[in-house]
Amino acid sequence: MEALQAVLKNPPINTKNQNVKDRAEALMLKVLSAFKSSDIEKAVQSLDKNGVDLLMKYIYKGFEKPSENSSATLLQWHEKALSAGGVGSIVRVLTARKTV
Amino acid sequence: MAYHSFLLEPISCHSWNKDRTQIALCPNNHDVHIYKKDGTKWIKIHELKEHNGQVTGIDWAPESNRIVTCGTDRNAYVWSLKGEVWKPTLVILRINRAARCVSWSPKENKFAVGSGSRLISICYFEQENDWWVCKHIKKPIRSTVLSLDWHPNNVLLAAGSCDFKCRVFSAYIKEVEEKPGPTVWGSKMPFGEVLFESGPSGVSGGAGDGAGGGWVHGVCFSHSGNRLAWTSHDSTVAIAEGGKTSTISSLSSETLPLLCVSFITENSLVAAGHDCYPVLFVYDGTKGSVTFGGKLDVPKQTSQRGISARERFQNLDRRATSSETTEQGLESLHKNSISQISVLEGGKSKCSTFCTTGMDGGMEWSHGTSRYTHTHTTHTV
């Protein structure tokens, strides 16, 4: 749980260095897959609105490069984040000009 | 309280006359149709054909009874009623892209046109030449101006644009008015001065997420002019209070982007957009927060029928859920995005009725009552 908060705390939004972004995204993916399915909902509830938006951004970034099991866990996270953030959070992922 | 389906085409824009008996609207073509209310039916009484491109903005001045229209043919026309006929006067806007929105100023001596050529044209009538003259506001607009709203002092103009910003400009024309007094937005107001510019969708102090922003679709001043609200394509609605820089409170909503917004009291506003129903937002000035007030569309309760086992498996196959709570059709009264809201009664301080039009037809709502009757009249054109 704390790992999730920590990895969401300083997202590499303003950097132009693609390496930094890739490393952050890989780390995020590790954290997300380390969660048990039953804990996902609690973790999403513990985030504030900005956190949910940020989580959505990472989820969609993760969808872009699917590895063997990642899509399944990402979809579970997506479902819970959607019920927390609503369609608006997805719109914000699409319109955000600074990607994570 | 009543839903009138005018036609099957989207309504690009609409405007009401002073006593709300006539509505001018553009049915997504080059004309403007004026309908008159006759009991519960609407009769088309005039067709204004002059534009060569789609009409994108209509505004009906209540006191002087003139209509200004602007369109994608880069022109604007001011229509005056002479006898029973509306006579147009061409206004040369000197723009090289389509005009997007138009609005009469509160005193109706000038109007503003927002356009795709990244500028706002402020037009006023010059008596000596008997001609409408326009002045441009260019800097620092970097993209199409999507929406405009005048401040009640007739000088300040709020503009929302595709460069993700909402700005307040001064549109002071010394030929037609005197120097305005100071307002909360500033005291020096030469023409074209930017008095306020919003940061991109200002979520203050967020985890870096507020640096996105989206096209600003709708702007609205409150009745006193001290507050400015705008909606943006990243599903946020924001309110700024004049005078204190950077008190921007914004709410990231959970709905699809809202396209239009209007204050209905000093503290609350109604907005509507791609989600096809109007929603209410309440602003708390002391705390500086915007909260979601609720949906203003109470659909008829469709009868709950149990679903058969066969349907359950079909749902499971198609939608991966076996529950019945899937919306086959929209439950709202509007069936497509709402593009414009106009206040009918009560002004922006105590609005009691407002009207929404969208990509499917026209509608009226009453704020403050919680029951809506649904009458559906189709009018074939």
Side-chain angles (χ1 to χ4, degrees):
Chain A
M1 193 84 87
E2 291 94 25
L4 183 64
Q5 309 275 7
V7 80
L8 279 177
K9 209 187 288 205
N10 221 356
I13 285 193
N14 282 317
T15 178
K16 291 204 178 55
N17 191 346
Q18 188 55 34
N19 256 335
V20 174
K21 296 200 186 205
D22 285 343
R23 287 214 310 266
E25 197 227 322
L27 187 58
M28 186 71 189
L29 206 48
K30 256 175 51 177
V31 171
L32 289 184
S33 15
F35 268 77
K36 285 206 287 281
S37 319
S38 38
D39 289 338
I40 294 185
E41 173 140 13
K42 263 197 313 185
V44 170
Q45 308 283 9
S46 72
L47 296 175
D48 62 341
K49 248 192 186 275
N50 292 334
V52 174
D53 285 349
L54 199 48
L55 178 63
M56 261 311 191
K57 273 196 192 165
Y58 273 114
I59 291 177
Y60 274 93
K61 194 92 194 293
F63 278 143
E64 285 172 29
K65 299 193 205 118
S67 56
E68 317 128 346
N69 260 334
S70 66
S71 295
T73 35
L74 283 178
L75 274 173
Q76 285 183 317
W77 278 95
H78 186 275
E79 188 198 343
K80 297 289 183 282
L82 183 60
S83 49
V87 189
S89 61
I90 299 186
V91 176
R92 272 183 283 285
V93 173
L94 294 172
T95 55
R97 298 176 70 220
K98 305 204 175 172
T99 55
V100 77
Chain B
M1 279 194 309
Y3 176 79
H4 296 284
S5 166
F6 282 102
L7 10 77
L8 295 173
E9 295 279 331
I11 294 185
S12 324
C13 45
H14 76 274
S15 188
W16 294 86
N17 70 344
K18 178 170 182 186
D19 51 7
R20 315 307 190 197
T21 54
Q22 296 184 24
I23 179 172
L25 51 85
C26 169
N28 207 35
N29 58 13
H30 303 328
D31 314 326
V32 175
H33 295 174
I34 300 189
Y35 285 81
K36 189 179 162 105
K37 189 162 195 177
D38 185 12
T40 51
K41 294 203 310 274
W42 293 86
I43 307 180
K44 179 157 55 154
I45 50 174
H46 288 122
E47 265 190 36
L48 311 181
K49 288 180 189 298
E50 197 75 24
H51 276 283
N52 278 328
Q54 191 201 12
V55 179
T56 50
I58 304 181
D59 200 15
W60 199 322
E63 302 301 326
S64 53
N65 208 33
R66 290 177 295 184
I67 302 180
V68 62
T69 60
C70 72
T72 54
D73 58 350
R74 316 191 295 275
N75 287 335
Y77 290 93
V78 175
W79 303 79
S80 322
L81 189 62
K82 302 243 181 336
E84 285 298 308
V85 184
W86 287 92
K87 287 256 159 44
T89 314
L90 172 65
V91 179
I92 301 207
L93 298 170
R94 296 186 280 132
I95 55 181
N96 52 7
R97 294 284 186 279
R100 266 312 241 106
C101 49
V102 67
S103 178
W104 281 108
S105 70
K107 291 213 191 72
E108 294 163 25
N109 47 8
K110 42 184 187 174
F111 60 89
V113 181
S115 69
S117 43
R118 312 192 302 204
L119 49 81
I120 305 176
S121 290
I122 312 284
C123 307
Y124 60 97
F125 194 67
E126 207 160 71
Q127 273 301 114
E128 309 121 20
N129 298 339
D130 196 22
W131 184 242
W132 288 89
V133 174
C134 81
K135 279 190 170 186
H136 287 164
I137 299 180
K138 280 208 190 110
K139 307 192 200 170
I141 311 180
R142 318 256 316 274
S143 187
T144 307
V145 175
L146 283 179
S147 53
L148 295 168
D149 192 37
W150 286 92
H151 188 280
N153 74 353
N154 212 50
V155 169
L156 299 180
L157 178 67
S161 134
C162 277
D163 60 358
F164 318 123
K165 293 199 193 290
C166 172
R167 299 186 179 88
V168 175
F169 290 100
S170 156
Y172 167 63
I173 308 264
K174 60 183 192 302
E175 284 91 346
V176 292
E177 55 200 352
E178 293 132 24
K179 237 173 180 308
T183 66
V184 289
W185 299 98
S187 44
K188 284 200 146 310
M189 293 181 250
F191 180 79
E193 175 91 358
V194 179
L195 291 140
F196 168 77
E197 183 174 287
S198 74
S201 160
V203 174
S204 42
D209 195 45
W215 307 322
V216 179
H217 282 293
V219 295
C220 186
F221 268 113
S222 67
H223 180 74
S224 63
N226 293 336
R227 295 193 180 142
L228 177 65
W230 65 92
T231 67
S232 166
H233 199 72
D234 60 352
S235 294
T236 58
V237 69
I239 297 189
E241 193 119 26
K244 314 166 216 161
T245 51
S246 73
T247 30
I248 300 181
S249 346
S250 80
L251 174 69
S252 319
S253 66
E254 293 183 354
T255 58
L256 293 177
L258 300 158
L259 289 176
C260 45
V261 66
S262 178
F263 271 95
I264 46 178
T265 67
E266 195 68 19
N267 283 327
S268 53
L269 27 87
V270 70
H274 288 293
D275 262 324
C276 318
Y277 51 78
V279 291
L280 181 68
F281 289 99
V282 179
Y283 174 67
D284 189 335
T286 50
K287 284 193 298 196
S289 64
V290 183
T291 46
F292 179 68
K295 297 204 276 195
L296 290 178
D297 181 336
V298 179
K300 286 193 307 203
Q301 294 289 2
T302 49
S303 58
Q304 304 276 0
R305 30 172 267 272
I307 50 176
S308 65
R310 182 198 172 83
E311 282 177 30
R312 245 181 236 281
F313 279 111
Q314 271 185 343
N315 276 344
L316 198 55
D317 192 30
R318 270 192 243 128
R319 278 183 280 256
T321 74
S322 50
S323 62
E324 195 201 338
T325 55
T326 47
E327 289 159 25
Q328 296 281 9
L330 288 175
E331 288 177 352
S332 54
L333 279 179
H334 265 296
K335 295 303 173 203
N336 207 328
S337 315
I338 297 179
S339 54
Q340 193 177 346
I341 290 184
S342 55
V343 169
L344 287 187
E345 277 162 42
K348 284 193 216 164
S349 53
K350 272 201 316 264
C351 167
S352 56
T353 319
F354 60 90
C355 162
T356 58
T357 57
M359 316 273 210
D360 58 348
M363 201 183 286
E364 283 176 26
W365 290 93
S366 190
H367 168 68
T369 60
S370 53
R371 291 176 36 204
Y372 304 99
T373 52
H374 180 128
T375 59
H376 189 107
T377 57
T378 36
H379 185 107
T380 47
V381 172

